[in-house]
Amino acid sequence: MRYHLSSPIPESHFIDIECSIDKIGADTIEIQLPAWRPGRYELQNFAKNIQRFGVFDTSGNPLIFRKITKDRWLIQTPGVSEIIVRYNYYANIQNAGSSYVSGGFWYVNPVNLCVYAEGYLNEPCTLELAIPDHFQIACGLKKKDTKTLSAKDYYELVDSPLMASATLQHRTYQLQETTFYVWMQGNIKPNWQQILIDFEKFTASQMAAMGSFPESEYHFLNLILPTPYYHGVEHRHSTMIVLGPDDEGEGLYTDLLGVSSHELFHAWNIIRIRPKELLPYDFTKENYFSTCFVAEGVTTYYGDLFLRRSGVFDDAAYYRELQVYMKRHFENNRNAQQSLAESSWDLWLDGYEKGIPQRKVSVYHKGALAALILDVTIRKIHQHQYSLDDVMRLLWERFGIPFAGYSLEDYQAIVEEVAGEPLKWYWDDCILSNIPLENHLNHALSWVGLQMVTFSDGTVHLQELGNERAVLQRKKWLSSGI
């Protein structure tokens, strides 16, 4: 499939798309626009942003078609070997999963606006951009020339956002066999020296824990806005991050570190270590799975922990982030009715909305606390000789490297293999029921010299304990990991 994107009037925020599909050997073909995007487990109905739509043969003759779902078309192709689908897309939103076009800046998530033909998902794709000659492109896809990108298949294409402008800034660093790119777009003067020092530190810490990195190139795509924003999305060769405001100074940089470390760990955990229900993605409907507490909760836990282990954060900075998870969970959803597994499944229902009172929990916040409990539990059993790191490495070796989807039962089996004993209490209390986490969390925290205190008004606070032995355990936990 070949795509050509242009914007004759960029101030209108419309992108014109031409998709060419050849080797058609049937009397009909079905065209689909994704109903959702990886990294956001909710239906987003991108087709609502299409204003006009038409299908033609290579001579420009219109073909008969009709819409058969909200985002799927049936096209009549008797005697036609190649078709050209022409439509436009309204691109006027700047978040980490959207698309936007203006006279000076293009930001495209192909999953928003690139249709595919049924049966062609594994075919190579090219993406040609009609951008000004002086624009630079930031993207994880391979470049055929200055305006054309190539993908091995549709799955790679739509997992590769891009930014293009004349004002992009970037630097690179190299670790092992991987080149990492840090891109910045916005009204900002980055402290590149500090950025490269800190990014190298947390990247090296993650790579040491996991053993190898999945890609030969990786791109941090950062869009810095003048308004408050905090959003990141993981992708195969990259992450798309949108932050603001651009005048926030140290707070903005802390946000950049936090979201970047989180999204980098996703390069293993969900991009390659993927639940079996998401392998392959079905872009036409919901892809239900009960392990998002692993995909997002474990990643949230590790995102900040790697910043502490690598020395980018000190103890106080790490405690502040840990306290954020505690406050958001216990002050808002302490008595929620759903378990982590149930809230993982129901992400497709209302996972990104506030929802009704005390119904669901956050797979990010409660998931991170459950991951902490598990990590410290394994460390306590084996006196730091094994940890959650070993669980993630085994998931990587057995499911990530061969790219074979894992199940909840697979995760449970590996956890208990590393722990060396059954952990029925953990699954029953922390993952599969709505039992509050306070007791298990404080039991784990006490071993590393910490305690969560709940005040009479329901607020929580994290504090250090003075036990010398516990302080030693905490240092081991927060340093090299093992």
Side-chain angles (χ1 to χ4, degrees):
M1 292 180 286
R2 303 184 305 278
Y3 302 86
H4 181 274
L5 274 57
S6 62
S7 184
I9 308 175
E11 293 76 14
S12 72
H13 303 296
F14 275 104
I15 298 175
D16 290 348
I17 301 113
E18 284 193 1
C19 174
S20 301
I21 304 167
D22 58 12
K23 301 178 184 177
I24 297 173
D27 289 343
T28 63
I29 190 171
E30 294 188 9
I31 301 297
Q32 174 78 40
L33 185 70
W36 65 282
R37 61 172 177 79
R40 186 82 170 186
Y41 307 107
E42 66 176 359
L43 295 180
Q44 295 190 274
N45 301 316
F46 299 123
K48 66 181 179 289
N49 294 314
I50 293 177
Q51 182 195 60
R52 52 179 172 77
F53 186 95
V55 187
F56 306 86
D57 63 19
T58 54
S59 298
N61 301 309
L63 300 177
I64 298 172
F65 68 91
R66 64 184 175 89
K67 213 171 190 182
I68 54 177
T69 73
K70 57 185 168 53
D71 44 28
R72 194 175 184 90
W73 295 261
L74 176 66
I75 301 164
Q76 303 297 321
T77 56
V80 176
S81 62
E82 181 176 353
I83 63 171
I84 300 173
V85 187
R86 293 193 179 104
Y87 56 102
N88 64 354
Y89 186 91
Y90 189 60
N92 192 33
I93 297 176
Q94 297 184 81
N95 64 40
S98 64
S99 294
Y100 176 86
V101 65
S102 67
F105 176 55
W106 281 42
Y107 162 41
V108 175
N109 264 286
V111 72
N112 298 161
L113 49 80
C114 288
V115 297
Y116 67 87
E118 196 63 48
Y120 286 72
L121 284 165
N122 296 310
E123 295 295 315
C125 299
T126 60
L127 180 65
E128 182 180 316
L129 306 172
I131 54 176
D133 292 340
H134 62 289
F135 272 28
Q136 187 177 12
I137 298 175
C139 184
L141 290 176
K142 299 297 182 183
K143 292 183 175 67
K144 296 184 69 174
D145 56 46
T146 57
K147 298 184 182 182
T148 306
L149 307 169
S150 64
K152 296 176 183 177
D153 53 30
Y154 183 81
Y155 294 109
E156 183 180 35
L157 173 73
V158 297
D159 211 9
S160 303
L162 66 91
M163 297 191 297
S165 80
T167 54
L168 275 168
Q169 306 175 65
H170 85 280
R171 297 290 188 277
T172 65
Y173 60 98
Q174 182 86 21
L175 286 173
Q176 297 181 21
E177 303 302 317
T178 302
T179 304
F180 294 87
Y181 294 76
V182 184
W183 297 89
M184 293 286 178
Q185 173 67 32
N187 182 27
I188 186 172
K189 294 181 178 179
N191 182 343
W192 285 114
Q193 181 179 8
Q194 190 63 52
I195 288 173
L196 293 179
I197 289 172
D198 291 340
F199 273 57
E200 283 192 38
K201 284 181 178 180
F202 73 71
T203 302
S205 183
Q206 295 195 20
M207 293 172 71
M210 296 302 290
S212 62
F213 194 74
E215 305 293 341
S216 60
E217 282 189 8
Y218 188 85
H219 298 253
F220 294 92
L221 307 174
N222 297 289
L223 173 58
I224 311 302
L225 300 178
T227 53
Y229 220 90
Y230 184 95
H231 191 198
V233 178
E234 67 275 8
H235 297 281
R236 187 180 303 188
H237 315 291
S238 64
T239 175
M240 185 67 212
I241 294 169
V242 181
L243 296 174
D246 53 21
D247 61 352
E248 197 178 41
E250 190 62 32
L252 178 67
Y253 187 59
T254 299
D255 286 349
L256 175 66
L257 292 172
V259 70
S260 297
S261 182
H262 175 105
E263 299 302 338
L264 181 64
F265 195 68
H266 271 313
W268 292 276
N269 190 25
I270 197 64
I271 297 299
R272 296 287 303 191
I273 305 171
R274 191 178 299 177
K276 66 177 184 179
E277 298 89 345
L278 301 181
L279 199 62
Y281 293 132
D282 183 343
F283 294 112
T284 69
K285 61 183 180 181
E286 300 92 334
N287 294 206
Y288 297 103
F289 64 113
S290 58
T291 53
C292 201
F293 68 91
V294 180
E296 293 295 355
V298 171
T299 300
T300 298
Y301 170 65
Y302 269 123
D304 292 318
L305 185 61
F306 280 121
L307 290 171
R308 176 60 196 92
R309 282 189 191 176
S310 62
V312 176
F313 278 0
D314 59 16
D315 284 356
Y318 179 66
Y319 296 159
R320 283 195 295 271
E321 298 306 317
L322 186 55
Q323 184 168 282
V324 168
Y325 311 148
M326 293 177 179
K327 292 176 71 67
R328 288 179 178 173
H329 172 62
F330 289 108
E331 293 180 11
N332 297 316
N333 302 114
R334 173 187 272 111
N335 299 310
Q337 294 300 300
Q338 285 194 336
S339 68
L340 269 172
E342 289 171 326
S343 288
S344 293
W345 191 270
D346 269 7
L347 276 172
W348 292 95
L349 179 62
D350 64 348
Y352 302 93
E353 301 171 2
K354 185 176 181 180
I356 65 173
Q358 300 301 328
R359 175 178 178 270
K360 63 185 178 182
V361 293
S362 167
V363 295
Y364 296 82
H365 306 138
K366 187 176 182 180
L369 298 176
L372 185 158
I373 292 169
L374 180 58
D375 189 20
V376 173
T377 295
I378 297 173
R379 289 174 179 277
K380 185 176 181 181
I381 292 170
H382 296 289
Q383 291 299 304
H384 295 285
Q385 293 304 304
Y386 298 102
S387 72
L388 188 57
D389 290 15
D390 296 278
V391 172
M392 299 311 296
R393 273 196 300 269
L394 287 175
L395 281 170
W396 170 236
E397 292 166 4
R398 296 178 187 177
F399 297 95
I401 293 175
F403 204 36
Y406 74 93
S407 66
L408 174 58
E409 292 74 22
D410 293 323
Y411 179 65
Q412 291 174 306
I414 289 178
V415 165
E416 295 187 350
E417 177 184 338
V418 172
E421 63 182 57
L423 295 177
K424 187 175 185 299
W425 64 268
Y426 178 75
W427 309 116
D428 288 350
D429 294 358
C430 300
I431 305 301
L432 301 175
S433 79
N434 63 353
I435 295 173
L437 285 182
E438 282 99 327
N439 290 339
H440 288 305
L441 181 61
N442 266 333
H443 181 71
L445 288 173
S446 65
W447 191 67
V448 293
L450 296 171
Q451 182 180 38
M452 186 188 75
V453 178
T454 303
F455 296 103
S456 59
D457 61 357
T459 59
V460 299
H461 179 71
L462 181 67
Q463 67 180 29
E464 290 184 340
L465 301 176
N467 182 286
E468 184 176 339
R469 181 176 177 82
V471 170
L472 178 61
Q473 305 294 1
R474 182 168 71 243
K475 288 181 179 179
K476 292 182 178 179
W477 169 49
L478 296 179
S479 59
S480 62
I482 299 296

